[in-house]
Amino acid sequence: MAASEGDGNGWVVSAGGDRRWGRFGAAGLLLRAADPSDPDTPLVLLQHRAVWTASGDTWALPGGARDSYEDAPGAALRETEEEAEIRPADVVVRAEVVTSRMPGTVWHRPGLDMRHAAEMLRRLRPDQRHDEELDESGPGGADDSAADAVSGAVRRPRVLPPLVQESTDAVEWTYTTVIADAPRPLETVPNNESLELRWVPETRVAELPLMPAFAQAWANGLRSEPVELVVDVANVLGSRPDGWWRDRAGATGRLLDELGAGMPRTLELPAADSAPPAAAFGWVARAHAVIEGAARAAEHSGPFEVHRAPGSGDDAIVELATELDGGPRRVVVVTADRGLRDRLPGNVLVVGPRTLLG
């Protein structure tokens, strides 16, 4: 019933008659998790939409209409919890991108409104007058005409509130894809909007009969490509004045543990100076940490492959990035050092320490 729904339910209709669900736009969750059998190919959670839904019997992302008080991540996480029973606390949002836009006007269809339900039940009562209602603004509020005359109450025609409401105000409908990581392929429980929920290898997503809008967005940049992440640990460590210089090895070990525990698996990739990347996002298949000087004594048992530079850390990073650049994965170096950036091969991408530190 409308009383239990948010205020975002309704259509935005374009001048040409195209309809999009969500009075305030819509959002969906692109959730990735590692495939234990294939480090280069993440699994993506897809929803086989029920036949009765818009673009039914196709595959897309969990999602739906945004309410007026929600941002895109909040709406996408709420819809995913409703449609898959995945808790927002179990995923980490990495990015958001508007993947569709359409100008139009709002048509709101609230469904079974409580006032309609009450009125229809009232009209089933043969002992009640259902063509008029009593305006009890007078002091009496009686039930018959004589009492009405005494009390001053007035009967007026009973009017049902409209089930369809149109706003002539122009709006821009948007669909925002929210990209997030899951620690593993989480268990899902579908509701009545799904025929099935499935963790699909990313390389096989395009083989399914996708919702047209999702198919276009997927082809235009939502896909990811495998990444070799190389971290300039000295530069990242130096970006935070937390007293690391007093115990460089200990501070480096703590930093590696911290980065390893919260390391994003999905990275938003910057544009390359040479050929553009095949995808707008990277999937971290392997992570390297280059340490130098006194920090070489640091210990780490997490996800990083630690490289202990015998001399200059920058020299070691350039050598490692150059070696990896000839492989099948995109190389991404984490540093804010402009001098180091200029020494890297042109196909290597660079992101700042905030990518890992948040």
Side-chain angles (χ1 to χ4, degrees):
M1 288 190 178
S4 64
E5 298 176 348
D7 62 358
N9 288 340
W11 297 98
V12 172
V13 183
S14 72
D18 293 330
R19 300 190 306 168
R20 300 290 186 272
W21 182 249
R23 298 173 63 197
F24 308 101
L29 190 70
L30 175 50
L31 186 61
R32 289 185 173 95
D35 183 349
S37 65
D38 185 359
D40 285 350
T41 306
L43 301 175
V44 177
L45 178 63
L46 293 183
Q47 177 194 49
H48 190 185
R49 299 173 61 82
V51 176
W52 61 268
T53 63
S55 300
D57 199 24
T58 61
W59 292 81
L61 304 176
R66 289 173 60 175
D67 290 329
S68 60
Y69 53 86
E70 290 181 309
D71 58 12
L77 293 170
R78 173 184 55 76
E79 289 282 345
T80 301
E81 185 171 24
E82 293 174 2
E83 297 174 2
E85 292 194 12
I86 289 179
R87 298 181 305 169
D90 291 336
V91 306
V92 180
V93 172
R94 300 301 184 188
E96 56 183 283
V97 56
V98 175
T99 49
S100 183
R101 298 177 183 273
M102 188 192 76
T105 55
V106 173
W107 285 69
H108 177 43
R109 184 184 300 275
L112 184 58
D113 187 274
M114 292 299 294
R115 294 169 296 172
H116 285 267
E119 177 61 17
M120 297 312 295
L121 290 173
R122 189 180 293 116
R123 292 189 180 200
L124 293 176
R125 296 274 303 273
D127 59 325
Q128 292 193 12
R129 299 179 61 177
H130 49 72
D131 58 335
E132 296 178 337
E133 63 181 344
L134 188 64
D135 182 351
E136 297 185 350
S137 58
D143 294 329
D144 54 40
S145 299
D148 293 348
V150 173
S151 67
V154 178
R155 290 192 178 272
R156 61 188 180 190
R158 190 184 300 277
V159 179
L160 281 173
L163 273 177
V164 179
Q165 302 165 9
E166 179 186 9
S167 168
T168 58
D169 295 335
V171 298
E172 182 183 48
W173 181 91
T174 59
Y175 187 94
T176 303
T177 300
V178 178
I179 293 90
D181 291 338
R184 61 188 179 283
L186 300 170
E187 183 179 352
T188 61
V189 180
N191 67 0
N192 66 338
E193 297 183 37
S194 307
L195 295 173
E196 181 186 357
L197 293 164
R198 183 190 303 177
W199 288 95
V200 179
E202 179 153 337
T203 53
R204 303 193 64 179
V205 168
E207 299 174 7
L208 296 170
L210 302 179
M211 175 189 284
F214 174 57
Q216 182 178 3
W218 183 255
N220 290 343
L222 288 182
R223 304 183 323 277
S224 72
E225 59 177 322
V227 159
E228 296 265 9
L229 191 70
V230 179
V231 181
D232 180 357
V233 176
N235 185 264
V236 176
L237 186 67
S239 68
R240 298 194 303 185
D242 57 0
W244 54 265
W245 51 88
R246 300 189 189 94
D247 177 12
R248 188 162 182 176
T252 298
R254 290 189 295 273
L255 176 67
L256 290 176
D257 291 343
E258 176 189 342
L259 297 181
M263 183 177 63
R265 298 302 302 269
T266 304
L267 290 177
E268 191 167 7
L269 300 179
D273 294 332
S274 55
F281 295 93
W283 172 257
V284 179
R286 188 166 59 163
H288 307 263
V290 178
I291 58 179
E292 62 181 345
R296 287 183 297 176
E299 297 294 333
H300 174 67
S301 59
F304 285 103
E305 182 176 324
V306 179
H307 301 259
R308 305 176 193 276
S312 164
D314 285 4
D315 290 346
I317 291 170
V318 172
E319 181 180 352
L320 176 60
T322 302
E323 176 187 345
L324 295 174
D325 189 39
R329 300 169 180 153
R330 172 73 69 169
V331 180
V332 178
V333 174
V334 181
T335 186
D337 187 332
R338 293 184 179 181
L340 174 58
R341 179 195 298 260
D342 293 340
R343 296 177 58 191
L344 295 170
N347 200 42
V348 172
L349 301 178
V350 177
V351 297
R354 287 185 180 277
T355 302
L356 299 185
L357 296 175

